Each structure stands twice: as structure tokens, then as C-alpha cells.
Amino acid sequence: MENIPIIYLKNRKIYNEKEGERISLDEALNQFNSDEKIYIFDSDGIKRDKPNLCMYPKLSEKLRIWVDSGPRDLGDVVDSVMAGASLITIRQNLYSNFDISSIKNITEREIYLNIDLVNKDIYKTDFSKFQDIDGIVTFIDDNQFDRDFRMKDLLKELCKQYKTYVAKTEDMPTAYLKKFGAAGLLLEASMLKKENY
């Protein structure tokens, strides 16, 4: 199972943890090996439609960046690619009428779909219409995941059909995800160091 560190961009600043302390660009770059793949969770892009495009080129000089910035249309995806993104995450709730084939033809990048397992409407989704995506990304609430068998069943099914990456918090048992066949874990950079993944 692949382990990919997550860094957070918020208010034009970089964080190793979602609720952690700010780090400098040099600190962010120096903690990873050259050409390592990292997942960028761009809160400004996702929540306010103001992605940190100016930071992507600096990060992509040394790293392969997988950008989750909440694109709303094809132009937003192209902007991320032009700024250095190697892989892109699309959030269905923000970019509802996307056409994966067109996006991939224009960008020539791997495109992943964020699936929100907490959203009850997701259980009505026809996943067959997403056959062209390269994989799935999901962020799971540990407490809810432990109690919700339907969520576990859907995650297991997604892992069978798609290359699925799961954002893991410290409380979530990795054994579950390995058993389900998850392709990889998205881990806070600080957790990656602490637990020696």
C-alpha cells in the first residue's frame, strides 16, 4: 500500500497538519525526497474558490504534487496543471458537470474523484459513469466509519472497482484498509514521520 503525505494550504500558508502550526516553504520541501509524490489539500481553493496557484510551482520544482483545490470547471483544472500539478482531484459537489474524458484529453494528467462517504446521497450514485477516472480519494471520519457498516461496505466496493486512496487519521486501523484493498493512504506529513510508514 502506497503512503502519500498530505500538506495543507490555508490562507496562503503551509501546514503539516490540518490543525497544526504553520511551516515555511523550505521546511515543507526539505522534509521530502526529491520527486516524492505529495497530496496538497488546498483549503482556500476548496472552501473559497481561491486556490494557492502561486505556491504550486515552488512545490512542483522538487516534488510531484497531487492537487486537491476544488476546481469548479475545466479552466480551474488547467490552471492547476499549468502551475505544476501532476495529479488532480475533482470534487463532485463543486464541479458537478465534469467530463473526465475531456479533462484527461486536455490535461494529460491522472484525474481522481473525491467521494464523501458521509454524504447520504452518495449511496444513490451510479458509479459506472465514472469509469474513466484514474481512482478515488476519500476522507473518512473515524468515529462514523467505526459505526457505519454501509460506509464500510461502500468503501470495500470502491476499493474493488477503483484505485482508492483513503485519508487516514491516527485512530483509523490500517488493517481495515489493507483488507479492503485500498491502493494507498493519505497521511499527514507529521504522522508519516511519527509512525514510520
Side-chain angles (χ1 to χ4, degrees), residues 4 6 37-42 45-46 51 56 65-73 76-78 80-81 85-95 98 100 103 107 109-116 133-139 163 165 186:
I4 300 171
I6 303 175
K37 188 189 318 179
I38 64 164
Y39 192 92
I40 296 176
F41 187 95
D42 189 338
I46 294 166
Y56 302 168
I65 61 171
W66 180 349
V67 175
D68 183 353
S69 63
R72 270 62 170 183
D73 57 35
D76 290 346
V77 176
V78 171
S80 290
V81 170
S86 298
L87 303 93
I88 304 280
T89 296
I90 302 278
R91 290 175 171 263
Q92 190 178 5
N93 63 323
L94 299 176
Y95 185 175
F98 61 88
I100 293 292
I103 294 170
T107 64
R109 296 295 191 269
E110 288 183 37
I111 305 296
Y112 289 78
L113 182 63
N114 173 269
I115 299 291
D116 181 4
I133 62 170
D134 291 292
I136 299 283
V137 173
T138 188
F139 289 76
K163 190 159 68 167
Y165 290 84
L186 303 175

Side-chain angles (χ1 to χ4, degrees), residues 3-192:
N3 296 312
I4 300 171
I6 303 175
I7 60 170
Y8 299 89
L9 301 183
K10 184 169 54 175
N11 300 323
R12 308 277 181 223
K13 295 176 178 61
I14 303 172
Y15 300 84
N16 263 353
E17 299 172 350
K18 194 170 188 175
E19 304 300 326
E21 292 182 21
R22 176 180 170 232
I23 60 171
S24 71
L25 176 64
D26 285 340
E27 287 174 306
L29 290 171
N30 291 333
Q31 66 186 329
F32 304 113
N33 298 323
S34 200
D35 289 329
E36 185 172 356
K37 188 189 318 179
I38 64 164
Y39 192 92
I40 296 176
F41 187 95
D42 189 338
S43 293
D44 296 330
I46 294 166
K47 294 178 181 168
R48 300 181 314 161
D49 195 16
K50 296 192 181 301
N52 291 280
L53 293 171
C54 60
M55 292 181 127
Y56 302 168
K58 297 169 188 168
L59 292 164
S60 68
E61 280 179 20
K62 181 179 175 189
L63 307 166
R64 265 183 88 212
I65 61 171
W66 180 349
V67 175
D68 183 353
S69 63
R72 270 62 170 183
D73 57 35
L74 182 57
D76 290 346
V77 176
V78 171
D79 287 346
S80 290
V81 170
M82 297 300 286
S86 298
L87 303 93
I88 304 280
T89 296
I90 302 278
R91 290 175 171 263
Q92 190 178 5
N93 63 323
L94 299 176
Y95 185 175
S96 56
N97 295 321
F98 61 88
D99 176 4
I100 293 292
S101 297
S102 296
I103 294 170
K104 288 177 77 167
N105 286 338
I106 291 169
T107 64
E108 298 180 353
R109 296 295 191 269
E110 288 183 37
I111 305 296
Y112 289 78
L113 182 63
N114 173 269
I115 299 291
D116 181 4
L117 295 176
V118 176
N119 180 348
K120 298 301 179 195
D121 291 337
I122 202 68
Y123 298 97
K124 301 172 195 165
T125 302
D126 175 13
F127 287 99
S128 65
K129 65 183 178 181
F130 303 129
Q131 291 308 309
D132 290 339
I133 62 170
D134 291 292
I136 299 283
V137 173
T138 188
F139 289 76
I140 294 175
D141 176 287
D142 293 343
N143 296 326
Q144 195 161 9
F145 186 73
D146 281 341
R147 296 187 315 261
D148 193 334
F149 289 102
R150 225 168 59 147
M151 189 182 289
K152 288 179 185 175
D153 288 343
L154 179 56
L155 179 59
K156 195 182 302 183
E157 199 54 44
L158 290 172
C159 289
K160 284 181 192 172
Q161 292 180 41
Y162 303 98
K163 190 159 68 167
T164 302
Y165 290 84
V166 179
K168 179 190 179 309
T169 61
E170 293 188 44
D171 298 332
M172 179 180 286
T174 305
Y176 260 136
L177 302 175
K178 283 183 181 175
K179 187 172 89 174
F180 288 178
L185 300 175
L186 303 175
L187 302 156
E188 290 187 341
S190 59
M191 189 191 322
L192 199 64

